[in-house]
Amino acid sequence: MCGIVGYVGDSKSLEVLMGGLRRLEYRGYDSAGIAVIDDDGALNTAKQAGKLAMLSGELDAHPINNGSTGIGHTRWATHGAPNNENAHPHLGDNGRLALIHNGIIENFSPLKDELLAEGFTFESETDSEVAAVLLGREYQRTGDLAAAFRAVVERLDGAFTLLAVHQDQPGVVVGARRNSPLVIGLGDGENFLGSDVAAFVEYTRRAVAIGQDQIVTITPDAVVVTDFAGNAVETEEFDIAWDASASEKGGWSSFMAKEVSEQPDAVANTLRGRISDGVVVVPELTEFGDEVLAGIRRIVIIACGTAAYAGQTAKYAIEKWAQIPVDVELSHEFRYRDPVLSDDTLVISISQSGETMDTLMAVKYAREAGAKAISICNTQGATIPRESDAVVYTHAGPEVAVASTKAFVAQIAALYLFALHLARVRGTLDAAGLAEQTAELLAIPDKIATVLEQGDTVRQLATWMSDTRAVLFLGRHVGFPIALEGALKLKELAYIHAEGFAAGELKHGPIALIEPGQPVFVVVPSPRGSAHLHPKVVSNIQEIRARGARVIAIAEQGDAAVLPFADTVIHIPLAAPLFEPLLAVVPLQLFAMELSVAKGLDVDQPRNLAKSVTVE
Ligand code: F6R
């Protein structure tokens, strides 16, 4: 939800800013813009509606003077249409100051009225321009960007990361954050700011996360962080665990194709260092406290979208192995309905980005209500882990495609590690049981690689179905959240109406949707591991087939019972029932991706979406 980058140093900032924006574009692609202070001390800006390529084209057509101080922005529109006027940066102090913003300024309307009454004028419909004009007014009063920021942030309600430059202060970029992300990159004679480390990982792997309600000033040789009152605060440096090449396409046709193919590694890397001699011991959980874990009486998982489906999948494993009740809630529903929480409730948040505002707010709410909070997160230095009691990082590597794939399987892997750790601490699985499940988990990366080999079958299916208007997905038990995830992927990537249902629910209503030719994907439970459920799902297949549905079954290798009733069968390797989701989801991801490609759509940047949803 808006990408932000700032630079001061020896390099010409334009190259740094455009490179950073390219790697941040997944956060929003409604418009892009930059502001640079050139070597003569003049402020130059360029902005353009549409994807970053449009801004590049504009800069080629109308080059601006380069310089060594600058800020850049890629927008996901909230207030005001995605056009040139509403693109950032916005100007203040008679065009001598430029500001970019991520978040929502909730009280922008009364502030705008106040400024209009003072004679200020506005070019855009955005809430962000109010902050630019306000900052300009305070700069005129204080003559110092950081001091002006301190005055402005006191007036703002809502969520914001703001970065600004002023032409009278070349070599200085100032930023402030409340509830929106901002990370510092430490260079040699140059420093960086970014919404996340992808903004500057090409130049440095040393980073510092900025806490809530803090202001940062970067110059080529110094970084100063204060609270909103101007008091110095301590910061902690961390090393970025991946390099710039990890966030490049590396020869793949899309980031999504690359990330889907990386799933065996995403799971293997998430398991690494957390299983020794066949026993799951997650160091981060041991540090959090096995005694605390043993005292937990209830778990609430909070997340949104795909991450919530990872939570729904893990609920089955946590309840079975650790024998503790688990509720899975959408973060935005949880937060506003007075949930019952106590100090023996453990809240587990799941977030790839670690910045999803709905989830962040839910975590804060839960901790204030006395619950303990553990975060499952893929992004170092992100806000949600910082607001939690402990974090178990997934090591899926940077996920750039807007629709989540490899982070999903890594999240399930991390949650299964959590479940097995908890089962050991609570004594709910004996050594043999723990060893059996751990061995299943360790076998998953190779099995995902086997599923990926069926890419051609799925591609063919997608090509045949490229003019399909609606697709249904059915699943039962752990196959149910996978059906939901399959439907979500298809909506996002191919803009096709898709619904996921619990197979048992079919005859309670959804079967009315079945008409001749209706495609239905069915995630079939294993006939060995789920002997009681398998025949029921095969009966469901017969019921829809009898009404003309076109059935695509995702079934275990050797499952002969589905063959007579399915139009297409996609086989997955044998696995214990709780592990099937990690395999069954892969053909569904591939199908959505291939259908998107077949329809000529942008698979990495689907319309209207942003990867990191940092507004409520
Ligand atoms: C779907 C997708 C979204 C995210 C959701 C949560 O493909 O990517 O549904 O899963 O917005 O995002 P994070 O995990 O960053 O909190």
Side-chain angles (χ1 to χ4, degrees):
M1 247 352 66
C2 300
I4 277 184
V5 54
Y7 175 79
V8 278
D10 295 334
S11 301
K12 292 297 183 190
S13 59
L14 205 46
E15 291 72 31
V16 179
L17 298 175
M18 290 301 280
L21 289 182
R22 190 168 52 79
R23 281 187 301 278
L24 292 179
E25 200 181 10
Y26 68 85
R27 300 178 71 90
Y29 29 86
D30 287 331
S31 64
I34 43 128
V36 171
I37 301 176
D38 69 25
D39 295 340
D40 298 327
L43 180 70
N44 303 300
T45 61
K47 54 187 190 174
Q48 199 64 36
K51 294 192 173 170
L52 189 60
M54 302 298 289
L55 177 64
S56 295
E58 167 66 14
L59 285 167
D60 288 344
H62 304 104
I64 61 168
N65 277 346
N66 208 342
S68 54
T69 306
I71 53 178
H73 186 267
T74 175
R75 177 170 188 241
W76 185 84
T78 57
H79 293 56
N83 56 26
N84 285 354
E85 290 71 37
N86 293 330
H88 299 215
H90 295 289
L91 302 180
D93 197 10
N94 298 314
R96 298 185 310 157
L97 169 153
L99 172 140
I100 54 179
H101 170 220
N102 171 28
I104 291 180
I105 297 167
E106 288 170 357
N107 61 334
F108 84 99
S109 192
L111 289 172
K112 191 167 181 173
D113 289 346
E114 174 186 322
L115 292 163
L116 284 168
E118 288 177 29
F120 290 99
T121 54
F122 290 84
E123 307 285 325
S124 79
E125 304 155 291
T126 62
D127 52 339
S128 314
E129 191 181 6
V130 171
V133 174
L134 208 51
L135 191 67
R137 186 181 78 177
E138 293 308 317
Y139 186 88
Q140 281 185 352
R141 199 174 56 79
T142 59
D144 176 74
L145 211 41
F149 255 109
R150 287 198 291 278
V152 167
V153 290
E154 290 305 325
R155 303 287 318 276
L156 305 181
D157 294 338
F160 50 83
T161 298
L162 301 166
L163 292 195
V165 290
H166 194 292
Q167 67 177 27
D168 293 353
Q169 290 200 279
V172 178
V173 179
V174 182
R177 73 163 292 215
R178 166 177 288 165
N179 291 332
S180 288
L182 187 60
V183 188
I184 306 168
L186 301 173
D188 192 5
E190 57 184 359
N191 286 306
F192 308 80
L193 292 168
S195 297
D196 66 46
V197 297
F200 47 72
V201 67
E202 196 178 329
Y203 301 96
T204 180
R205 291 172 69 177
R206 292 171 56 211
V208 173
I210 302 171
Q212 287 297 3
D213 290 3
Q214 292 182 356
I215 293 177
V216 54
T217 304
I218 60 167
T219 58
D221 300 312
V223 167
V224 177
V225 184
T226 69
D227 61 19
F228 278 0
N231 304 307
V233 293
E234 282 201 16
T235 56
E236 208 174 308
E237 189 178 324
F238 66 91
D239 290 331
I240 303 166
W242 42 271
D243 61 18
S245 65
S247 60
E248 301 289 343
K249 263 189 232 169
W252 290 87
S253 56
S254 63
F255 279 109
M256 169 140 291
K258 174 178 176 249
E259 288 161 12
V260 166
S261 80
E262 286 172 342
Q263 294 187 104
D265 285 343
V267 173
N269 290 339
T270 299
L271 302 185
R272 190 158 294 129
R274 290 157 172 174
I275 299 175
S276 65
D277 297 330
V279 180
V280 171
V281 181
V282 182
E284 298 89 332
L285 296 177
T286 310
E287 203 174 305
F288 171 70
D290 285 350
E291 275 168 32
V292 184
L293 284 174
I296 295 297
R297 295 285 162 265
R298 176 174 167 243
I299 292 174
V300 181
I301 294 180
I302 48 175
C304 301
T306 290
Y309 297 146
Q312 278 193 36
T313 308
K315 169 185 164 83
Y316 294 83
I318 301 172
E319 289 190 337
K320 185 168 174 69
W321 297 335
Q323 291 169 26
I324 190 163
V326 180
D327 297 315
V328 184
E329 304 233 19
L330 294 169
S331 317
H332 35 89
E333 289 296 318
F334 169 81
R335 161 79 177 79
Y336 292 102
R337 63 158 181 75
D338 300 322
V340 179
L341 295 164
S342 55
D343 59 4
D344 57 6
T345 305
L346 176 67
V347 168
I348 302 180
S349 67
I350 311 169
S351 177
Q352 187 287 130
S353 61
E355 300 293 349
T356 298
M357 181 64 80
D358 293 312
T359 305
L360 172 63
M361 289 303 164
V363 169
K364 285 186 173 184
Y365 178 90
R367 287 187 78 201
E368 276 161 23
K372 315 227 166 20
I374 290 179
S375 128
I376 307 286
C377 182
N378 194 44
T379 310
Q380 284 175 289
T383 309
I384 294 172
R386 290 168 64 86
E387 295 291 329
S388 304
D389 297 298
V391 52
V392 177
Y393 279 110
T394 47
H395 296 301
E399 194 179 61
V400 178
V402 166
S404 188
T405 54
K406 63 175 179 172
F408 177 71
V409 291
Q411 284 160 352
I412 296 175
L415 288 158
Y416 280 19
L417 286 171
F418 167 82
L420 291 171
H421 185 108
L422 190 62
R424 181 175 51 74
V425 167
R426 286 169 58 84
T428 47
L429 273 183
D430 61 15
L434 287 169
E436 191 186 334
Q437 306 307 334
T438 306
E440 287 279 348
L441 194 50
L442 283 166
I444 287 298
D446 285 347
K447 292 182 184 177
I448 296 179
T450 307
V451 184
L452 286 168
E453 285 164 14
Q454 294 185 64
D456 285 346
T457 316
V458 180
R459 193 168 307 120
Q460 228 168 33
L461 194 65
T463 313
W464 291 335
M465 290 173 64
S466 56
D467 53 3
T468 298
R469 293 169 61 86
V471 181
L472 303 180
F473 293 79
L474 297 181
R476 188 150 186 167
H477 190 254
V478 280
F480 172 37
I482 297 308
L484 297 174
E485 171 63 3
L488 178 59
K489 287 283 97 79
L490 199 58
K491 284 180 226 180
E492 287 181 293
L493 296 179
Y495 315 154
I496 290 176
H497 184 75
E499 290 297 332
F501 298 106
E505 194 65 7
L506 194 63
K507 50 192 165 302
H508 299 287
I511 199 165
L513 291 169
I514 305 294
E515 56 186 17
Q518 170 64 56
V520 185
F521 278 81
V522 185
V523 181
V524 184
S526 156
R528 302 163 307 114
S530 306
H532 49 307
L533 286 181
H534 178 264
K536 295 187 201 303
V537 174
V538 174
S539 295
N540 293 146
I541 293 178
Q542 292 178 58
E543 286 154 17
I544 55 173
R545 194 72 193 301
R547 288 160 177 85
R550 176 173 178 183
V551 176
I552 305 112
I554 316 286
E556 183 180 275
Q557 197 73 45
D559 180 350
V562 291
L563 295 179
F565 310 113
D567 295 271
T568 308
V569 181
I570 298 166
H571 292 289
I572 57 171
L574 273 54
L578 287 169
F579 295 87
E580 285 168 8
L582 288 154
L583 309 177
V585 74
V586 176
L588 302 184
Q589 297 167 336
L590 285 169
F591 177 72
M593 179 177 86
E594 295 296 351
L595 201 50
S596 169
V597 172
K599 289 178 75 172
L601 303 173
D602 186 338
V603 69
D604 285 336
Q605 296 180 338
R607 68 182 178 204
N608 303 337
L609 296 176
K611 185 146 190 76
S612 182
V613 185
T614 54
V615 293
E616 269 193 279

